[in-house]
Amino acid sequence: MKIAYFDCFSGVSGDMILGALVDAGLEVSELEAELSQLPVRGFRLQAEKTTRRGISGTKLSVITEEHRTERHLPDINEIIDRSALSDDIKNTSKRVFMELASVEARIHQKTVDEVHFHEISALDSIVDVVGALVGLKKLGLEAVYASRIHVGTGFVECRHGTLPVPAPATLELLKGVPVYSKGIESELATPTGVAILKSVAKGFGPMPDMTVDRIGYGAGSRELEIPNFLRICIGETCQDRYAGDEVLLLETNIDDMNPEF
């Protein structure tokens, strides 16, 4: 079975997921062809090789002409429903945004339809979510796993002001997911990145038994004291390699021997 393992040693974001998939072999042209089925225009993908602390990877940027737009959940669902994407991509995309809306609703004491998404309602976030799901499918992955997530520490500036890291929405999404912090003062995990991983990952923890065939590094935007990458390992499971082993039992009788011997 073909699987992927996301190593979140420097956190996770939507563009880092896309960058890792492209670095692991996903063709940008294929991704753009699928994303063109969204009933929105004014965006393009830009993939460029970069290095972080001596490691090479891919920085994937979504370049948009749209000014920051505050959408509600029904607005985003309408965009997805009107697209020509396959039903599985549509359903999972809507599930990701439903999870994001539910978290924002709990934090701000509103209903999911009343929530203004602010930062995550912009076109680039929609492209991140849909693009990540399309990329996983295009690479033929049958299962996805992820490590525990490095979240960082400190504070982050957003539309609601100065918030602690992890931001409240991110921390809500991380319920049930193993996390850690090495004291790096930066927002390493974003709500969109966490929501995507939660929607596709079968589990969070150590790397499963697998034979690695491809490795990709998706770059984050900032330079940190550690390599700011999300790493993806793609390969085949090897959990059944001993299923066909045979065991031989050799028995013998010896006549005319003292039993003590």
Side-chain angles (χ1 to χ4, degrees):
M1 181 170 66
K2 191 174 184 181
I3 66 171
Y5 179 73
F6 283 99
D7 186 1
C8 308
F9 60 81
S10 190
V12 61
S13 65
D15 60 330
M16 290 170 80
I17 293 174
L18 283 179
L21 293 171
V22 169
D23 202 58
L26 175 66
E27 294 290 340
V28 176
S29 58
E30 281 191 291
L31 186 56
E32 288 176 325
E34 290 293 319
L35 289 170
S36 68
Q37 299 182 73
L38 287 167
V40 288
R41 295 294 177 265
F43 72 89
R44 61 184 175 87
L45 304 182
Q46 178 178 292
E48 54 185 350
K49 281 290 187 179
T50 187
T51 58
R52 297 285 188 271
R53 298 287 170 178
I55 299 175
S56 174
T58 297
K59 179 72 178 77
L60 197 291
S61 303
V62 181
I63 311 299
T64 69
E65 301 169 5
E66 178 184 78
H67 297 294
R68 283 285 168 178
T69 302
E70 293 186 358
R71 294 184 174 93
H72 295 81
L73 181 63
D75 302 324
I76 295 175
N77 284 341
E78 182 183 2
I79 291 173
I80 295 170
D81 284 332
R82 287 173 50 213
S83 75
L85 295 163
S86 61
D87 287 341
D88 57 337
I89 297 294
K90 286 182 180 180
N91 292 336
T92 308
S93 297
K94 289 193 293 185
R95 191 166 71 243
V96 171
F97 282 106
M98 181 63 182
E99 181 80 6
L100 289 164
S102 299
V103 164
E104 293 284 352
R106 286 198 296 273
I107 292 172
H108 300 297
Q109 294 295 297
K110 295 182 178 181
T111 68
V112 291
D113 288 342
E114 291 174 331
V115 168
H116 285 276
F117 275 119
H118 298 302
E119 286 85 355
I120 60 175
S121 64
L123 183 54
D124 55 347
S125 294
I126 297 172
V127 172
D128 283 345
V129 171
V130 176
L133 301 175
V134 165
L136 292 170
K137 185 175 181 179
K138 282 289 183 183
L139 289 174
L141 298 169
E142 300 170 77
V144 174
Y145 300 88
S147 70
R148 53 195 190 121
I149 297 177
H150 192 179
V151 296
T153 189
F155 295 89
V156 62
E157 297 293 333
C158 69
R159 289 287 294 276
H160 295 293
T162 303
L163 299 177
V165 172
T170 306
L171 196 56
E172 281 284 331
L173 287 163
L174 286 168
K175 286 180 177 177
V177 176
V179 300
Y180 69 101
S181 175
K182 290 290 188 180
I184 294 174
E185 295 208 6
S186 183
E187 182 186 30
L188 301 183
T190 68
T192 303
V194 172
I196 293 170
L197 277 193
K198 281 191 72 174
S199 73
V200 299
K202 290 183 175 292
F204 292 83
M207 179 183 286
D209 291 344
M210 64 185 295
T211 303
V212 177
D213 298 320
R214 299 188 194 180
I215 302 167
Y217 290 84
S221 300
R222 297 179 298 277
E223 284 285 356
L224 303 173
E225 52 263 51
I226 61 174
N228 190 10
F229 282 118
L230 173 67
R231 178 164 58 187
I232 186 173
C233 300
I234 298 174
E236 298 286 333
T237 55
C238 52
Q239 59 195 33
D240 296 329
R241 58 182 168 175
Y242 299 121
D245 281 7
E246 295 181 351
V247 177
L248 300 180
L249 175 63
L250 179 65
E251 296 181 317
T252 183
N253 283 327
I254 301 179
D255 283 339
D256 303 321
M257 179 177 277
N258 189 320
E260 284 81 9
F261 293 163

